């Protein structure tokens, strides 16, 4: 931007609440075009909204690092200092809070704007009175105009939090301190709004609106409140008088104290300030000389401003670094400390790949632009440099654009409104990074749509953050509710439960009744939870009886069995746990253990609930495990021979599957009719196993696993995927579980026993004369059974490989002598016997 020597250059200097910013806005509006640079995005947005009301949306632009509203017809621009478009021509230009030129981190930006940002008709430099010597030295032609404060600012002494007057702002110097003070205000005074520099404009505006509307009487903020954010504050209380400035913890200077304290009082309303004392602790207090300086607006004059070359050398990376480290030639200017962008540049300069791609003025300029990406998440130069490096590598290859898909993926990762305050604030900081990138018109192929996407995510996160802040630090509803519930006339407020289970006292919600469990409203204060719970317990007795009656009368389809892995097996009624299953007299008769919350129901009510749940369990067992239930009845029938009863008893205890070897003795004692009595119960006597095919179905498998877990008093184990037939062989307890579920181990794999039997039957039929291969290769292939598994199966069936050529030969299946049946001594005896039968 050219330096218009003839245009008026005015420095408007004075304390807070002097109307400097208001004057600059009015002067800008009187010109055909104009631009003001602000220290904060929040402040730029606040003034933008004000100018839009004066000039209309199509005439006003907002430009910050991560937000750009730039109508084609825009003539008045509100920007952050770093984002001022210095190449544009404006009739009027102003720089706000120019005394920030003395700031170690951002000072060089404000110094550069003070020296070079000019309007062709008028320029204003706004700042504190301490800037006067620098204006005289660096801008000798500037006219300095002092502005007196509109109202009186006086010291009110230290105050306890419990005695702070309404319309007070408490200023803290860390997020942790802000949260701690806001929590105490919530407990003592009903809540507070929270304002921090890390908040997005949307969240900050929502919090301030809550304060301005009188919904809360207190506001807790960081020192960002001192930068011109206008609120109706009568008193400013300092929670501390020192801060960490990025290098060390130090006491605030009187000028910094005044900048913050000056937020008290508005226009011609007087304001006050003082230190906050926390109960039981001795807080920092103002020194007499500091009080005098603040009240009389007298501060030490600035002796220097920080400077960095504003027109660096882009011919090479090394030349760029040298020019940025160049020392000023004026005594009023000091070389700026190494900022994050320069630190990142130095990190990247050591990367050979970055070096290789940074040859020539255009590439070096592009690298420097990438280094200018702010570290919104405050991760530090080294960590931030990794992100910048990746971005620059994209910008220096192909079409010189960041891939749209990669960009969208980064934004999508942040599109999550779950989490606490710090998590959401960090995500907002992350979105600000991608919003900044989207507002670089030559970095993306479709920057407008990407900027819109980033803006949408930021708005969602901002709304969620406002909600979290309000939930955590504002408790008006609960405090009002406590007065109603805890008062002498509590009975006048009826307790109502709606169809969704929400419990209300009068017009206020106190919690939710989920099944038989009352859950206190999660937004209620911890100290109030006991009273709310006691109120509900005392006045919900009739509702519990109604729910017990509803459970007893409900249809079966509203009950379900919870079989989540690692959890106890439980009965759910309409999705709510009402009982668990425990060890009973046998596998099919588990004990019903009512949930302790049903103890609120009368004895008679609990009995009817237990009987209803038993009836449901019986019907479900009959539905899914009918063969087991019939086998259990037959095992207890004295009319059946002892061998039959012993086989069936073991079969039932094992859930419908037993190895043939384990029942070899009683099985050998059965005649043909006795075998038929067993198979008539839907049991199959296989070559290797005695099993019930029906219990291998997914739902039957789930139920018998659940019943076995309940019988053992254990949590539900994990089940294989429904309809699994082949599984890798696991170790230990899991292998035993799969065996009980109906899977036989065959070396590296386990095969479901009905498929084992199918392969066994084919081998038997071929061995006894049927044409075809001994091994059903089509079935083996479809199952995915490995050769080692096939070999293991064939050996267990009594086959051995020929010594000299491929194929198998029958040699009989050996067993311990005392387990051999009276008939043929191999597994196929079972199959032969069945065929004869």
């Amino acid at each position: 931007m050219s330096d218009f020597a003839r245009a008026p250059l005015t420095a408007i200097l004075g304390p807070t609440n002097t109307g400097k910013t208001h004057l600059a806005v009015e002067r800008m509006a009187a010109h055909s075009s104009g631009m003001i640079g602000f220290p904060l995005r929040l402040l730029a947005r606040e003034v933008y909204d004000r100018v839009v009301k004066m000039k209309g949306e199509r005439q006003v632009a907002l430009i910050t690092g991560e937000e750009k509203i730039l109508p084609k017809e825009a003539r008045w621009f509100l920007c952050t200092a770093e984002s001022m478009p210095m190449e544009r021509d404006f009739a009027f230009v102003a720089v706000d809070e120019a005394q920030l030129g003395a700031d170690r981190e951002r000072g060089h930006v404000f110094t550069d704007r003070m020296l070079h940002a000019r309007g062709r008709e008028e320029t204003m430099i706004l700042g504190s009175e301490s800037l006067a010597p620098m204006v005289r030295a660096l801008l000798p032609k500037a006219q300095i105009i002092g502005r007196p404060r509109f109202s009186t600012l006086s010291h009110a002494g230290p105050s306890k939090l419990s005695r702070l007057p309404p319309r007070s702002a408490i200023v803290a110097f860390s997020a942790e301190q802000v949260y701690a003070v806001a929590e105490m205000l919530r407990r003592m005074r009903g809540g507070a709004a929270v304002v921090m520099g890390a908040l997005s404009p949307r969240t900050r505006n929502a919090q301030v609106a809550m304060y301005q509307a009188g919904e809360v009487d207190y506001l807790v903020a960081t020192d960002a409140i001192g930068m011109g954010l206008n609120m109706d504050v009568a008193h400013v209380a300092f929670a501390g008088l020192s801060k960490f400035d990025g290098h060390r913890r130090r006491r605030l200077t009187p000028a910094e104290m005044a900048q913050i304290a000056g937020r008290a009082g508005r226009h011609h309303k007087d304001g006050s300030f003082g230190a906050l004392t926390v109960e039981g602790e001795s807080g920092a207090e103002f020194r007499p000389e500091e009080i005098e300086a603040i009240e009389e607006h007298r501060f030490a004059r600035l002796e220097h401003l920080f400077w960095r070359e504003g027109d660096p050398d882009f011919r090479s990376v090394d030349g760029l670094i040298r020019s940025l480290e160049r020392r000023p030639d004026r005594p009023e200017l000091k070389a700026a400390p190494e900022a994050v962008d320069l630190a990142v540049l130095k990190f990247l300069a050591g990367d050979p790949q970055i070096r290789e791609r940074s040859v020539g003025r255009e590439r070096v300029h592009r690298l420097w632009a990438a280094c200018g990406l702010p570290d919104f998440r405050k991760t530090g130069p080294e960590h931030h440099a990794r992100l910048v490096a990746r971005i620059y590598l994209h910008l220096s290859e192909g079409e010189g654009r960041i891939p749209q898909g990669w960009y969208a993926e980064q934004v999508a990762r942040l599109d999550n409104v779950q989490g606490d305050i710090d998590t959401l604030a960090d995500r907002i900081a992350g979105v600000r990074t991608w919003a900044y990138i989207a507002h670089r018109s030559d970095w993306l192929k479709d920057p407008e749509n990407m900027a819109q996407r980033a803006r949408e995510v930021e708005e969602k996160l901002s709304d969620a953050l406002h909600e979290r802040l309000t939930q955590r630090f504002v408790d008006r509803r609960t405090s009002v509710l406590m007065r109603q519930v805890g008062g002498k006339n509590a009975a006048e407020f009826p307790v109502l439960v709606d169809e969704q289970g929400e419990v209300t006292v009068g017009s206020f919600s106190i919690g939710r009744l989920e099944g038989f469990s009352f859950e206190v409203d999660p937004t209620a204060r911890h100290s109030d939870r006991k009273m709310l719970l006691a109120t509900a317990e005392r006045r919900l007795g009739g509702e519990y009886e109604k729910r017990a009656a509803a459970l007893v009368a409900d249809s079966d389809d509203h009950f379900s069995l919870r079989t989540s892995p690692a959890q106890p097996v439980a009965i759910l009624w309409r999705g709510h746990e009402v009982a668990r299953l425990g060890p009973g007299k046998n596998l099919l008769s588990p004990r019903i253990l009512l949930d302790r919350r049903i103890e609120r129901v009368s004895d008679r009510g609990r009995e009817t609930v237990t009987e209803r749940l038993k009836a449901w369990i019986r019907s479900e067992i009959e539905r899914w495990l009918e063969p087991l239930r019939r086998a259990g009845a037959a095992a207890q029938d004295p009319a059946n021979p002892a061998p039959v009863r012993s086989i069936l008893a073991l079969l039932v205890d094992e859930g419908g599957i037993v190895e043939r070897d384990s029942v070899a003795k009683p099985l050998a004692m059965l005649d043909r009719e006795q075998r038929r009595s067993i198979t008539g119960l839907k049991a199959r006597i296989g070559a290797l196993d005695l099993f019930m095919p029906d219990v291998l179905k997914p739902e039957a498998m789930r139920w018998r696993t659940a019943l076995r877990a309940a019988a053992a008093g254990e949590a539900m184990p994990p089940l294989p995927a429904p309809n699994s037939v082949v599984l890798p062989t696991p170790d230990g307890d899991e292998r035993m579980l799969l065996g009980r579920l109906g899977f036989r181990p065959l070396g590296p794999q386990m095969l479901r026993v009905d498929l084992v039997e199918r392969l066994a039957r084919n081998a038997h039929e071929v061995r006894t004369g049927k044409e075809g291969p001994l091994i059903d290769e089509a079935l083996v292939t479809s199952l995915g059974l490995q050769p080692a598994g096939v070999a293991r199966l064939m050996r267990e069936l009594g086959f051995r490989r020929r010594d000299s050529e491929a194929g198998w030969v029958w040699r009989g299946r050996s067993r311990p002598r005392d387990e051999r049946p009276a008939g043929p001594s191999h597994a196929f005896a079972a199959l032969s016997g069945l065929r004869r039968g």
Side-chain angles (χ1 to χ4, degrees):
M1 186 178 292
S2 302
D3 185 357
F4 298 99
R6 296 181 181 179
L9 174 59
T10 308
I12 309 296
L13 308 180
T16 55
N17 195 25
T18 58
K20 297 188 297 292
T21 303
H22 182 73
L23 174 64
V25 171
E26 287 193 338
R27 293 298 302 156
M28 181 182 72
H31 287 276
S32 59
S33 63
M35 173 175 66
I36 304 178
F38 296 98
L40 293 177
R41 176 193 182 193
L42 295 175
L43 184 54
R45 181 73 198 214
E46 181 180 289
V47 177
Y48 165 80
D49 292 337
R50 192 191 315 169
V51 178
V52 163
K53 293 178 181 178
M54 299 166 58
K55 299 293 185 178
E57 286 187 359
R58 295 195 302 174
Q59 300 286 318
V60 187
L62 173 68
I63 302 179
T64 67
E66 60 272 30
E67 188 173 17
K68 183 180 289 186
I69 302 174
L70 188 57
K72 293 181 180 179
E73 303 173 14
R75 291 191 288 156
W76 293 278
F77 284 59
L78 293 312
C79 318
T80 50
E82 288 85 348
S83 300
M84 295 172 71
M86 300 289 285
E87 72 283 358
R88 283 181 176 258
D89 180 18
F90 293 98
F92 173 88
V93 170
V95 179
D96 193 23
E97 305 289 0
Q99 77 277 0
L100 287 177
D103 180 74
R104 293 180 60 86
E105 186 177 347
R106 302 171 65 204
H108 64 276
V109 176
F110 287 85
T111 301
D112 181 80
R113 302 303 185 253
M114 179 176 156
L115 294 175
H116 302 297
R118 298 291 181 268
R120 65 175 182 271
E121 296 174 7
E122 184 179 4
T123 301
M124 275 189 176
I125 306 297
L126 312 177
S128 67
E129 293 171 305
S130 62
L131 186 64
M134 295 296 99
V135 174
R136 293 190 186 99
L138 299 173
L139 306 173
K141 295 183 180 181
Q143 179 187 8
I144 298 178
I145 299 176
R147 295 277 291 190
R149 181 177 167 88
F150 290 154
S151 59
T152 300
L153 182 63
S154 57
H155 181 240
S159 301
K160 291 183 178 181
L161 198 64
S162 58
R163 296 186 178 180
L164 276 181
R167 315 313 294 166
S168 289
I170 300 91
V171 179
F173 296 93
S174 69
E176 292 79 9
Q177 197 175 31
V178 167
Y179 298 159
V181 172
E183 287 278 14
M184 286 188 285
L185 280 170
R186 184 176 187 268
R187 292 196 301 269
M188 295 179 182
R189 310 303 290 268
V194 172
V195 173
M196 299 185 292
L199 301 185
S200 65
R202 188 181 182 94
T203 306
R204 174 260 174 192
N205 289 344
Q207 288 287 303
V208 169
M210 189 167 60
Y211 172 79
Q212 292 291 82
E215 296 177 33
V216 291
D217 273 332
Y218 301 92
L219 182 143
V220 187
T222 59
D223 54 344
I225 194 177
M227 293 297 175
L229 299 178
N230 295 311
M231 285 164 281
D232 184 14
V233 175
H235 177 78
V236 171
F238 286 73
L241 292 173
S242 64
K243 71 172 184 178
F244 181 73
D245 63 5
H247 298 273
R248 62 187 177 89
R249 177 161 288 280
R250 60 171 179 80
R251 191 176 179 86
L252 300 174
T253 65
E256 290 171 330
M257 295 175 184
Q259 184 79 23
I260 298 168
R263 291 301 104 198
R266 194 172 185 186
H267 300 302
H268 295 285
K269 291 182 179 179
D270 293 339
S272 61
F273 68 96
L276 179 69
T277 60
V278 180
E279 283 75 355
E281 299 181 16
S282 56
E285 295 187 9
F286 288 93
R287 297 166 183 163
E289 62 273 18
E290 292 169 340
I291 296 172
E292 182 180 355
I294 296 170
E295 290 182 337
E296 298 182 8
H297 316 300
R298 291 188 291 102
F299 309 106
R301 298 298 193 249
L302 294 177
E303 297 179 353
H304 67 269
L305 300 178
F306 287 111
W307 175 89
R308 190 173 76 180
E309 177 60 63
D311 185 20
D313 180 5
F314 291 111
R315 288 176 295 179
S316 68
V317 173
D318 292 332
L320 174 60
I321 293 174
R322 282 195 300 271
S323 64
L324 291 170
E325 292 183 330
R326 187 177 301 140
R327 305 191 73 80
D329 54 9
R330 295 285 304 262
E332 301 85 6
L333 301 177
K334 272 184 137 180
E338 185 176 273
V340 173
D341 53 0
L342 180 54
V344 169
L345 176 63
K346 288 182 175 181
F347 271 115
L348 299 187
D351 186 327
Q353 189 177 15
I354 300 291
R355 280 273 188 182
E356 183 181 343
R357 295 195 185 187
S358 303
V359 178
R361 181 180 294 272
E362 182 179 344
R363 284 292 183 90
V364 175
H365 195 285
R366 202 161 179 77
L367 173 62
W368 180 235
C371 293
L373 174 66
D375 182 14
F376 291 112
R377 282 181 136 160
K378 306 299 181 187
T379 58
E382 186 172 358
H383 188 279
H384 186 55
R386 299 192 193 105
L387 173 62
V388 174
R390 187 165 187 183
I391 289 170
Y392 177 70
L393 291 175
H394 285 309
L395 295 175
S396 58
E397 64 186 8
E399 298 180 354
R401 298 281 194 276
I402 295 172
Q404 201 96 326
W406 181 71
Y407 177 95
E409 180 184 348
Q410 305 309 308
V411 175
R413 287 179 179 177
L414 298 167
D415 189 4
N416 179 1
V417 296
Q418 303 302 313
D420 58 16
I421 291 171
D422 290 335
T423 301
L424 291 172
D426 181 66
R427 289 195 192 117
I428 289 174
V431 171
R432 292 175 70 187
T433 299
W434 302 104
Y436 179 96
I437 290 170
H439 289 306
R440 302 296 301 232
S441 59
D442 59 341
W443 285 16
L444 290 167
K445 188 175 182 179
D446 186 11
E448 290 186 5
N449 282 336
M450 293 298 98
Q452 175 64 24
R453 173 62 180 143
R455 185 161 50 250
E456 290 171 354
V457 173
E458 181 177 329
E459 288 179 356
K460 283 175 62 177
L461 293 171
S462 297
D463 291 343
L465 180 55
H466 171 62
E467 181 182 346
R468 298 294 193 286
L469 289 168
T470 304
Q471 286 176 348
R472 181 170 173 182
F473 301 126
V474 180
D475 199 16
R476 301 181 308 277
R477 177 193 59 77
T478 305
S479 61
V480 171
L481 180 61
M482 288 305 99
R483 288 195 296 271
Q484 293 189 1
V485 173
K488 295 180 180 179
N489 298 321
E492 296 179 6
F493 299 97
V495 174
L496 302 176
V497 183
D498 65 15
E499 293 181 357
Q500 287 71 43
E502 183 155 5
V503 181
T504 57
V505 176
S507 59
F508 295 100
S509 170
I510 65 171
R512 182 177 292 276
L513 195 58
E514 302 282 359
F516 290 86
S517 174
F518 174 74
E519 301 293 338
V520 174
D521 189 327
T523 64
R525 292 183 300 184
H526 181 73
S527 58
D528 297 333
R529 294 179 66 84
K530 284 188 176 180
M531 180 178 287
L532 287 171
L533 192 59
T535 300
E537 294 297 310
R538 187 171 61 250
R539 302 175 65 185
L540 284 175
E543 182 63 28
Y544 291 135
E545 294 296 334
K546 290 179 183 177
R547 295 210 162 197
L551 181 153
V552 171
D554 222 343
S555 57
D556 282 358
D557 56 347
H558 288 117
F559 296 89
S560 60
L561 191 70
R562 186 188 70 195
T563 54
S564 303
Q567 291 192 28
V569 178
I571 302 174
L572 305 183
W573 173 55
R574 293 183 177 266
H576 307 298
E577 181 179 336
V578 291
R580 292 182 180 180
L581 300 188
K585 61 182 180 179
N586 57 49
L587 183 70
L588 301 182
S589 302
R591 184 182 177 191
I592 304 295
L593 305 172
L594 290 183
D595 188 273
R596 59 179 178 78
R597 287 164 287 202
I598 302 184
E599 292 176 1
R600 298 156 183 159
V601 179
S602 64
D603 292 345
R604 176 57 185 159
R606 290 199 301 274
E607 288 176 8
T608 58
V609 167
T610 300
E611 289 304 316
R612 177 66 183 93
L613 298 180
K614 284 182 178 179
W616 179 75
I617 287 289
R618 284 194 298 269
S619 69
E620 292 299 294
I621 289 175
E622 183 69 23
R623 179 182 180 186
W624 302 111
L625 301 176
E626 181 263 347
L628 268 184
R629 199 271 309 159
R630 289 178 57 205
Q636 296 178 5
D637 186 353
N640 288 320
V644 171
R645 295 203 307 272
S646 66
I647 291 172
L648 292 178
L650 183 60
L651 186 64
V652 172
D653 286 343
E654 292 298 320
I657 301 157
V658 294
E659 289 191 8
R660 180 187 170 90
D661 286 351
S662 65
V663 292
K665 285 184 176 180
L667 192 59
M669 299 168 63
L670 301 183
D671 59 26
R672 183 179 304 176
E673 290 303 318
Q674 291 169 342
R675 285 173 178 264
R676 283 180 176 173
S677 69
I678 291 177
T679 57
L681 293 171
K682 297 184 179 180
R684 184 175 297 175
I685 303 174
L688 300 177
D689 299 283
L690 180 63
F691 64 96
M692 293 177 163
D694 285 354
V695 304
L696 298 176
K697 296 176 181 179
E699 190 63 12
M701 187 179 292
R702 184 175 80 93
W703 268 87
R704 60 191 176 88
T705 305
L707 292 173
R708 180 175 288 279
E714 298 173 350
M716 181 72 181
L719 292 172
N723 299 311
S724 297
V725 292
V726 178
L727 298 169
T729 301
D731 297 325
D733 293 342
E734 189 175 353
R735 176 175 173 173
M736 185 180 298
L737 168 67
L738 291 178
R740 286 174 170 171
L741 291 179
F743 291 85
R744 171 168 281 275
L746 300 175
Q749 294 172 295
M750 298 187 77
L751 180 62
R752 207 171 65 196
V753 293
D754 57 333
L755 275 302
V756 169
E757 179 63 16
R758 185 171 166 185
L759 289 169
R761 188 174 291 273
N762 177 77
H764 167 70
E765 291 174 351
V766 171
R767 190 180 71 83
T768 56
K770 175 184 171 183
E771 292 186 3
L774 196 65
I775 298 172
D776 187 341
E777 296 291 349
L779 179 58
V780 166
T781 301
S782 67
L783 294 174
L785 197 59
Q786 297 176 12
V790 175
R792 173 70 176 270
L793 173 60
M794 296 301 288
R795 285 195 298 272
E796 291 195 5
L797 291 174
F799 291 90
R800 298 291 182 271
R801 281 192 179 280
R802 294 193 180 102
D803 295 334
S804 59
E805 58 184 88
W808 296 86
V809 61
W810 170 252
R811 291 187 177 179
R813 180 167 177 253
S814 62
R815 295 179 186 166
R817 181 172 300 276
D818 60 349
E819 293 185 6
R820 293 175 188 170
S825 61
H826 52 75
F828 288 114
L831 296 174
S832 301
L834 284 176
R835 291 190 64 187
R836 289 194 301 272

